[in-house]
Amino acid sequence: MTSPLLIVDAANVVGSVPDGWWRDRRGAAERLRDRLARYAADGVPGLLPGPLDVVLVVEGAARGVEPVQGVRVVAAPGEGDDTIVDLARAAAERRCVVVTADRELRRRVAEHGAECAGPRTVRPV
């Protein structure tokens, strides 16, 4: 059985909390990546049981963030949303949840069977 896939829109999730992330976008993405690592084994409570394949999609100034145990990092060559849609499309045969608050992105990934969850799912306020 294939593990469920959790795709996280780094820019959207990081931007959901005004904690000064704009001063260090890469550092903010790295902190998010580190928080996501715990979900790989244990899953996301109330949403997805573990183990999970966790993918963090970064773009712009956050490119260059390295993966860590349990979290694959994909640097979008262009728009992060397009990369997320491509990943959701490729995961059509497995359970896939995209974490973002972006309404248009939610619509686009739903066309490929992905579920969506808001940023608070992985970044509680």
Side-chain angles (χ1 to χ4, degrees):
M1 185 170 112
T2 304
S3 298
L5 176 62
L6 181 71
I7 303 171
V8 179
D9 179 353
N12 189 269
V13 173
V14 164
S16 69
V17 178
D19 62 0
W21 59 264
W22 52 90
R23 290 188 294 269
D24 181 11
R25 294 170 193 261
R26 184 173 174 166
E30 289 170 339
R31 288 187 296 278
L32 174 59
R33 174 206 58 199
D34 294 346
R35 279 194 303 274
L36 293 173
R38 70 175 174 233
Y39 298 122
D42 300 332
V44 179
L47 179 65
L48 284 172
L52 303 177
D53 289 335
V54 179
V55 177
L56 179 65
V57 177
V58 297
E59 61 185 83
R63 284 190 189 99
V65 170
E66 296 292 325
V68 295
Q69 180 73 33
V71 181
R72 180 166 57 110
V73 178
V74 174
E79 292 293 320
D81 290 4
D82 294 339
T83 299
I84 292 167
V85 171
D86 290 344
L87 290 167
R89 181 184 302 114
E93 299 301 316
R94 67 196 286 200
R95 186 166 182 204
C96 175
V97 175
V98 174
V99 178
T100 186
D102 182 312
R103 286 189 193 127
E104 177 61 14
L105 178 56
R106 284 173 169 247
R107 183 196 63 74
R108 290 175 65 196
V109 299
E111 290 177 356
H112 301 289
E115 302 168 48
C116 294
R120 288 185 183 160
T121 304
V122 296
R123 186 171 182 180
V125 179

